[in-house]
Amino acid sequence: MKIIINFFKGLKTTGKTTRMVLFLFIINLLFSMLLAIPMYNSLKNSFGHSEVGEKMAEGFDYLWWQEFRDEAQGLETTFTPSIIGKGAVLNNLVDLIQLRIFDSPPIIIIFVFFYITLHTFLAGGILSTFYQDNPKFTMKGFAKGAGSYFFRFFILMLISWVMLFTITAVLGSVFSPILDKAFDNSQTEVTPFYLVLLFSGIIFFIFLFFQMLFDYARIKIVLEERRNVLIFIPEAFSFVFKFPFSTLGLYFLIFLISIVATLVYILLKDFIPQSSYLGVSLAFFLQQVFIFSVIWLRCCLYSSQMNLYRYLR
Amino acid sequence: MKQIFVKETRLLKKILALSFLFFLLLGLLCTSAQEPLCKQIANYTMSVTLDTKKNLIKASEILSWTNDSENSIDELWFHLYWNAFQNNMSTFLTEASRRGRRVTGFTKDDWGYCQVNSIKIINNPYFEAYDLFPDMEFDQPDDENLYDQTVFSARLPHSLEPGQTILLNIEFESKVPRPIARTGVYKDYYFIAQWFPKIGVFIEGKWNCHQYHASSEYFADYGTYDVKITLPSSFIVGATGEHREKINNEDGTTTHHFYQHSVHDFAWTASPHFLPPYIEDYEFAPGKSTQITLLLQPQHKKLKDRYMNAVKNAIKYCSLFYGDYPYTTSTCVDPAYNSGSGGMEYPTFFTGGAYFLTRKGISSPEGVTIHEFGHGYFYGLVGSNEFENPWMDEGFTSFLDTEVYYAAYGEPLYNMSYFGIPVTFKDVRIPIESDGISRHRQTYNMDIMQRFSWEFLEGGSYGANSYSKAELTLRTLKRFMGKELFSKMIKAYSLRFWFKHPRPEDFYAVVSEFAGQDMSWFLDQFIYGSGKLDYSIDRITSNKERQPIGLFNGIYKERERKKEKTKDSVYRSEVTVRRLGEAKVPVDVLVVFEDGQEIREVWDGLYRWKKYIYHRPSKIKKAVVDPEFKLVLDINRTNNSKKMKPNRLAPLKWVSNWLGWLQHTLEFFTIFGG
């Protein structure tokens, strides 16, 4: 019940600050556009004047892509047929869990790093907005909150990285020999398959858990206005372990909603034929609605978690 | 007394040897249900026992070998392929190691070998009994690597004349290796190939008997294999040829009897885990049928129909394209995971390879199944030399497998594996022309296609040339000659060289015969050349005809100012076509004008570029070089066309999709931040 109450509270609070979500969405879009422009030029130069352009407008020309891939450098290497719909989401999931993001071209790694840092900056604004008695988004208030918490959030981010990568490395050293053994000694591919699935699930859960844990650390910083960052981590830990069902329940409720949103997006995207300007515009619109909903759910998570924290404290 | 005894003993030995020969030949005749399909040159009768505790094969082999050449032969050469796996200094493992495929973690019991314990000539009309063992010596004809013991020779007591047959009794012991390549034992799954002392091929006046190399395959003469395999009764067994008999012995073992004539190899598999064999008689053409046996791993039970249909499609289309499948059996083995035996071919017997979560639209297990069955034609029936002309089996079979696959199933879907779960993308289909082009594009100038299999710069180049480039060359030839003519030609080539050992020049001759011209100019460029094939439309322009301005025979003409475009406007249009690669093939050029008019040109492609000029009332819309996509070897297809007005939708559409991915990536990874 606590979960539902605070989830709806969070929903309501986020609803009141839709302009903030819109602002965050525009930042995401503009940031992404910085790389989309060179990618557009690459594609245009590659097939713009060729007959391939017509095929690519109608569908996907696999032969062209093979040529493009074989010559691709930097950003271009990220263009694959699997960026469509479900592929985009699944690629990111694999990149996250297996940390394949580090195999990406440097420009993508740098961009992701900057975006995470930027988001750490924005988190201060988001939480300080939700902290108000009557949450209302103003640019001035948002910027003030973002600025005042950035340093502490940044330190938290670095600590979370150290912890995450340490845990991942430890788990990796435990899982790797088991997997190697399973791959080398199995007479069927079924055993290693399930092991990979299990270990991936564990790692994903740990990532999510840490996100939740550090969310509460950030919430505590905003609510309690103390300077010592380090103390918030054990406190967040103890809060989560004191109320595991409520904290995890709320987190996974919103996580579940985001999975449903993703599935709806994937299904709808498959139905839109992108062979005309109208189709492309519709698909683009749907895509932006999806990204907006992802950002909205992230804000909703913050808001609900803040409410839950206040409720349980 | 002693002399009389010696004479009697000799006489007795002769009688015994003649009786043995008589019964052997009688046995061969009686067991042959069908007439052999060709000369039976190398005939093996083997009795084999597999000790599954020690992974040891003990066997005796009676080899009847006929000198089918016009030369007298003074020595015999043999392969002992498994000696490639007896230590890390063999030629095979040295080459493999150079390519990064190192053998690690091997214990004493993991190494394999094939050891001849005795080799004797059996008394027959041409030879008296003679022990060849003392004269046995290992040879290294390819690289003089003294550690390599994959080839041995033995000098004969006297010459074997043309047409004469020699009978040998060979006792040997083979230790089954841990799988390194293609063969071995993995837990209790055995895949036994290239496992017995196998005579080389005497051809072109000499022995052709190469050492075993990391990227080489095999070459042998045709004959009859009559093999009895004894092993624990719990094992399910599959092998080359007909499974004639199964006798349960009192000691808990079973003897399986396999028999096949007109083949050049014999391989077998055994595992207690195979599902009970699926056996179906398949009529692939009116009145023509063969028995398909499928040996499946338990976790692939649900793939039974996909495997079975793939074999049927392979038999049906190969019979149509390359001649009716002539054998009475075809056995497809689904190999154990980690056994290293997947995707291999042996006469009437081959391995596929599958993943338990495959999906509809993905070409597995069909692709590999068709490919390996297809080798039954190009390697099995057309017995090219895989050591020396690897493209003649791998290239032809790669061509065959895509032709059969696309005829039977259409274009497969692009797919990706996420955590081992395959996901298909229904909007992205993989066209036949894409097969192999990427590998060729990346390695085209490393080697030429016609090299001995171990003489390529690197493994990737061996693969790209022997498989991909050869396939692309055949597909280009097909489109260049025309589908109908090519189909006749390839079928004729196949049938003409069944049970023979063709060389590249034999293929040249058949192509030229059907093309009605010497086709060396075409084939040489791709088989013996490494130049790339790349035609492009370099430039297209359309401008109004220039007005004559100035003095013309003393009369001054000045510029006329035309305010509007008139119906009489004439445009001077130019199309520049370039040959960016070294390979030269005549090519079509299609020019399309805005008023719908089309002009088709044929360019010989000899010089580096060609400019076409038109004076017409309409501007050019687009120009395409090779509009029918005949030149599948062209490494850049995108530059084959140029349009006056670019398509603006396509880059917008795809960058928009890519943008969605990037936006999601950025948002997704904030899990690591605020």
Side-chain angles (χ1 to χ4, degrees):
Chain A
M1 201 61 190
K2 279 177 275 185
I3 297 169
I4 302 295
I5 289 169
N6 288 294
F7 168 66
F8 276 107
K9 266 190 183 176
L11 216 59
K12 201 174 158 189
T13 315
T14 315
K16 281 183 189 171
T17 54
T18 306
R19 279 175 60 217
M20 180 180 74
V21 181
L22 194 66
F23 170 68
L24 296 171
F25 163 74
I26 290 168
I27 288 176
N28 171 288
L29 182 62
L30 291 178
F31 209 78
S32 307
M33 289 291 262
L34 289 176
L35 290 185
I37 293 164
M39 178 56 91
Y40 173 80
N41 288 331
S42 285
L43 296 178
K44 196 180 74 175
N45 293 338
S46 175
F47 60 63
H49 275 87
S50 167
E51 269 191 326
V52 168
E54 282 164 32
K55 289 180 190 162
M56 289 297 281
E58 282 299 315
F60 191 88
D61 187 337
Y62 186 81
L63 279 170
W64 164 79
W65 176 65
Q66 279 187 312
E67 286 176 20
F68 185 73
R69 178 196 61 192
D70 292 346
E71 304 289 326
Q73 288 184 337
L75 204 58
E76 294 169 342
T77 56
T78 60
F79 188 89
T80 71
S82 63
I83 54 161
I84 315 163
K86 62 193 168 199
V89 179
L90 289 168
N91 285 346
N92 287 333
L93 194 62
V94 172
D95 284 355
L96 176 78
I97 293 172
Q98 298 179 350
L99 294 178
R100 283 204 211 152
I101 186 72
F102 295 112
D103 298 337
S104 304
I107 184 79
I108 291 287
I109 298 172
I110 291 167
F111 250 67
V112 168
F113 172 78
F114 272 114
Y115 191 78
I116 293 171
T117 311
L118 176 67
H119 222 269
T120 303
F121 171 74
L122 297 173
I126 298 168
L127 287 173
S128 63
T129 304
F130 288 143
Y131 181 44
Q132 297 165 26
D133 290 336
N134 187 17
K136 197 179 167 193
F137 172 70
T138 60
M139 194 55 94
K140 197 179 161 190
F142 186 90
K144 194 181 163 198
S148 56
Y149 298 114
F150 176 63
F151 181 70
R152 281 171 282 174
F153 283 11
F154 187 73
I155 300 288
L156 266 189
M157 181 187 81
L158 294 180
I159 293 169
S160 76
W161 285 7
V162 171
M163 288 175 77
L164 266 179
F165 289 117
T166 309
I167 288 174
T168 322
V170 170
L171 285 179
S173 66
V174 174
F175 293 162
S176 288
I178 300 172
L179 279 178
D180 288 347
K181 205 172 170 187
F183 275 112
D184 291 346
N185 296 330
S186 255
Q187 219 166 353
T188 116
E189 69 276 28
V190 180
T191 316
F193 166 78
Y194 283 113
L195 279 175
V196 166
L197 219 54
L198 175 71
F199 294 159
S200 300
I202 291 171
I203 288 176
F204 191 45
F205 176 81
I206 286 168
F207 283 164
L208 296 180
F209 181 78
F210 265 74
Q211 187 188 32
M212 185 188 73
L213 193 77
F214 279 86
D215 276 358
Y216 282 111
R218 277 184 285 268
I219 287 166
K220 278 175 79 64
I221 287 175
V222 172
L223 291 182
E224 295 171 15
E225 275 299 346
R226 282 186 281 162
R227 287 278 150 201
N228 188 350
V229 175
L230 295 176
I231 198 135
F232 289 106
I233 300 168
E235 282 184 8
F237 254 109
S238 88
F239 176 72
V240 168
F241 281 103
K242 199 172 167 187
F243 305 105
F245 293 111
S246 303
T247 49
L248 281 170
L250 177 66
Y251 187 91
F252 282 102
L253 174 68
I254 294 176
F255 179 68
L256 200 69
I257 294 170
S258 62
I259 289 178
V260 172
T262 307
L263 289 175
V264 170
Y265 162 67
I266 288 168
L267 283 173
L268 288 178
K269 185 118 195 236
D270 271 0
F271 277 106
I272 300 175
Q274 295 186 54
S275 50
S276 64
Y277 280 102
L278 180 67
V280 171
S281 309
L282 266 175
F284 179 73
F285 177 72
L286 179 69
Q287 193 172 284
Q288 297 314 310
V289 169
F290 171 62
I291 298 296
F292 182 84
S293 73
V294 170
I295 298 172
W296 200 88
L297 281 167
R298 177 73 182 116
C299 288
C300 183
L301 178 65
Y302 263 140
S303 169
S304 306
Q305 283 174 327
M306 188 179 263
N307 284 319
L308 183 73
Y309 182 78
R310 280 165 157 170
Y311 185 90
L312 295 173
R313 190 169 51 165
Chain B
M1 188 68 187
K2 195 182 171 185
Q3 270 187 333
I4 294 168
F5 178 74
V6 170
K7 272 185 183 176
E8 277 184 352
T9 312
R10 276 185 191 160
L11 190 67
L12 194 66
K13 274 186 181 172
K14 274 186 181 176
I15 291 167
L16 278 173
L18 283 170
S19 318
F20 181 81
L21 181 63
F22 173 76
F23 284 111
L24 179 76
L25 293 173
L26 189 70
L28 280 175
L29 285 171
C30 292
T31 47
S32 174
Q34 284 181 318
E35 282 297 305
L37 303 165
C38 60
K39 259 188 212 171
Q40 306 295 289
I41 293 170
N43 304 295
Y44 297 83
T45 302
M46 290 189 273
S47 189
V48 180
T49 305
L50 171 67
D51 179 341
T52 52
K53 286 188 181 129
K54 293 179 183 164
N55 292 330
L56 204 62
I57 290 170
K58 287 195 173 174
S60 71
E61 167 182 325
I62 304 292
L63 168 64
S64 147
W65 187 79
T66 304
N67 178 3
D68 192 40
S69 75
E70 291 170 356
N71 302 69
S72 301
I73 293 173
D74 300 322
E75 56 182 1
L76 300 177
W77 282 57
F78 290 84
H79 294 281
L80 289 176
Y81 288 112
W82 273 12
N83 284 346
F85 308 128
Q86 66 180 336
N87 58 53
N88 68 340
M89 301 300 279
S90 68
T91 292
F92 187 106
L93 289 179
T94 305
E95 289 172 353
S97 162
R98 276 191 219 125
R99 290 175 183 179
R101 282 163 46 201
R102 285 184 180 83
V103 170
T104 51
F106 264 47
T107 61
K108 190 183 171 192
D109 288 339
D110 293 331
W111 299 100
Y113 58 79
C114 180
Q115 181 181 300
V116 173
N117 295 328
S118 128
I119 175 166
K120 290 175 180 162
I121 297 176
I122 300 170
N123 205 356
N124 78 353
Y126 307 118
F127 278 94
E128 287 195 353
Y130 184 81
D131 189 358
L132 288 175
F133 194 75
D135 297 325
M136 248 183 79
E137 59 179 48
F138 291 109
D139 296 280
Q140 298 80 22
D142 300 333
D143 65 357
E144 296 173 356
N145 170 13
L146 295 176
Y147 290 107
D148 192 82
Q149 297 186 336
T150 56
V151 168
F152 79 87
S153 63
R155 184 149 286 280
L156 295 172
H158 61 82
S159 297
L160 181 68
E161 298 305 324
Q164 290 184 347
T165 296
I166 190 168
L167 274 173
L168 299 173
N169 182 0
I170 305 170
E171 300 290 330
F172 69 95
E173 181 181 294
S174 288
K175 171 77 176 56
V176 189
R178 191 171 121 186
I180 293 174
R182 302 174 182 136
T183 184
V185 54
Y186 185 72
K187 295 187 189 279
D188 50 5
Y189 168 88
Y190 292 82
F191 197 90
I192 309 297
Q194 297 90 39
W195 53 286
F196 59 95
K198 193 172 180 189
I199 195 159
V201 178
F202 192 87
I203 191 168
E204 293 157 1
K206 57 181 191 254
W207 281 101
N208 194 305
C209 192
H210 290 287
Q211 293 161 250
Y212 199 8
H213 295 269
S215 55
S216 74
E217 291 187 293
Y218 319 102
F219 185 43
D221 267 321
Y222 292 89
T224 298
Y225 287 81
D226 189 343
V227 183
K228 286 179 177 149
I229 303 163
T230 302
L231 75 179
S233 301
S234 58
F235 280 74
I236 291 171
V237 182
T240 297
E242 294 170 14
H243 196 169
R244 286 250 164 120
E245 202 179 15
K246 198 172 144 185
I247 302 164
N248 291 322
N249 306 312
E250 284 178 358
D251 60 354
T253 62
T254 300
T255 302
H256 299 261
H257 180 195
F258 290 90
Y259 175 87
Q260 185 61 57
H261 58 73
S262 314
V263 291
H264 55 50
D265 201 0
F266 183 94
W268 54 286
T269 184
S271 165
H273 303 296
F274 281 131
L275 293 171
Y278 295 100
I279 300 172
E280 267 187 47
D281 283 321
Y282 174 55
E283 189 175 3
F284 56 90
K288 289 176 178 168
S289 65
T290 192
Q291 188 182 68
I292 302 170
T293 302
L294 179 60
L295 291 172
L296 269 186
Q297 298 295 327
Q299 73 273 19
H300 296 157
K301 191 176 180 181
K302 66 175 184 176
L303 299 178
K304 178 215 148 196
D305 289 340
R306 287 189 65 167
Y307 257 123
M308 195 55 103
N309 287 335
V311 180
K312 287 179 183 173
N313 277 320
I315 295 173
K316 180 177 132 189
Y317 284 102
C318 285
S319 296
L320 207 61
F321 298 160
Y322 310 104
D324 285 339
Y325 184 66
Y327 299 111
T328 53
T329 65
S330 178
T331 300
C332 174
V333 180
D334 175 37
Y337 183 71
N338 266 330
S339 68
S341 62
M344 267 310 290
E345 69 278 9
Y346 307 93
T348 79
F349 179 77
F350 58 96
T351 56
Y355 183 62
F356 79 115
L357 282 181
T358 190
R359 298 191 58 175
K360 198 179 167 193
I362 295 180
S363 60
S364 170
E366 290 83 0
V368 68
T369 305
I370 294 169
H371 182 91
E372 303 312 335
F373 173 84
H375 270 301
Y377 280 78
F378 296 105
Y379 143 85
L381 290 164
V382 178
S384 50
N385 186 334
E386 293 187 302
F387 287 95
E388 297 183 359
N389 315 117
W391 65 274
M392 291 185 75
D393 64 290
E394 291 301 352
F396 274 75
T397 307
S398 297
F399 173 78
L400 172 154
D401 82 52
T402 40
E403 295 287 311
V404 170
Y405 183 90
Y406 280 77
Y409 299 96
E411 292 180 338
L413 297 175
Y414 177 75
N415 68 88
M416 290 275 292
S417 171
Y418 297 101
F419 308 105
I421 303 167
V423 173
T424 52
F425 293 83
K426 67 178 173 54
D427 295 329
V428 185
R429 294 194 165 269
I430 302 174
I432 196 168
E433 295 87 355
S434 69
D435 205 56
I437 188 69
S438 201
R439 276 214 285 186
H440 170 58
R441 188 181 297 123
Q442 288 163 32
T443 56
Y444 70 87
N445 56 3
M446 278 190 187
D447 281 294
I448 61 166
M449 211 155 97
Q450 175 44 51
R451 302 275 290 168
F452 286 3
S453 61
W454 61 95
E455 289 184 341
F456 287 89
L457 182 63
E458 55 180 56
S461 179
Y462 159 75
N465 278 285
S466 305
Y467 290 72
S468 308
K469 189 180 177 185
E471 175 189 359
L472 294 164
T473 301
L474 287 170
R475 188 153 294 120
T476 301
L477 184 65
K478 177 182 176 179
R479 296 184 182 190
F480 189 78
M481 287 175 77
K483 189 181 167 187
E484 207 173 313
L485 190 61
F486 178 89
S487 300
K488 282 181 190 165
M489 181 279 292
I490 198 89
K491 193 168 185 176
Y493 167 72
S494 166
L495 290 171
R496 241 178 246 184
F497 289 96
W498 275 18
F499 312 112
K500 295 190 177 83
H501 303 306
R503 291 290 200 178
E505 49 272 25
D506 296 312
F507 179 61
Y508 273 49
V510 179
V511 175
S512 299
E513 178 192 322
F514 277 79
Q517 57 164 303
D518 181 0
M519 289 294 283
S520 319
W521 65 269
F522 179 96
L523 296 169
D524 274 350
Q525 294 187 80
F526 304 115
I527 294 169
Y528 292 98
S530 61
K532 72 173 175 182
L533 181 64
D534 186 12
Y535 284 102
S536 81
I537 299 288
D538 191 53
R539 230 158 74 96
I540 52 172
T541 57
S542 275
N543 296 306
K544 269 189 186 172
E545 288 283 15
R546 287 195 305 163
Q547 289 176 15
I549 305 165
L551 289 167
F552 294 87
N553 296 325
I555 299 165
Y556 178 67
K557 279 194 175 184
E558 65 179 46
R559 181 185 296 275
E560 285 178 35
R561 292 186 184 276
K562 286 185 183 172
K563 286 180 185 169
E564 287 175 13
K565 185 181 168 185
T566 64
K567 282 181 185 173
D568 304 331
S569 296
V570 173
Y571 294 90
R572 177 192 157 90
S573 300
E574 282 186 16
V575 175
T576 310
V577 195
R578 286 182 68 186
R579 177 171 57 78
L580 303 176
E582 297 74 30
K584 300 168 190 171
V585 181
V587 68
D588 292 344
V589 180
L590 176 72
V591 184
V592 181
F593 292 86
E594 281 182 347
D595 61 2
Q597 288 272 322
E598 290 185 359
I599 295 179
R600 188 173 281 266
E601 313 276 3
V602 179
W603 179 34
D604 59 18
L606 292 179
Y607 188 56
R608 280 285 177 182
W609 57 269
K610 170 89 179 171
K611 192 177 280 182
Y612 295 99
I613 299 170
Y614 307 97
H615 301 271
R616 300 179 68 88
S618 176
K619 285 182 178 177
I620 287 184
K621 189 179 172 193
K622 66 174 179 182
V624 188
V625 59
D626 186 23
E628 274 79 38
F629 201 177
K630 289 178 183 170
L631 308 180
V632 187
L633 272 159
D634 191 326
I635 64 162
N636 187 338
R637 180 78 193 143
T638 308
N639 68 11
N640 278 32
S641 57
K642 192 146 265 180
K643 291 171 65 192
M644 202 61 102
K645 291 176 189 163
N647 188 306
R648 294 187 199 284
L649 176 66
L652 206 63
K653 167 186 166 182
W654 287 105
V655 84
S656 139
N657 279 294
W658 184 82
L659 178 74
W661 164 76
L662 182 63
Q663 283 179 279
H664 188 260
T665 305
L666 294 177
E667 212 47 53
F668 204 65
F669 279 87
T670 56
I671 201 167
F672 290 125

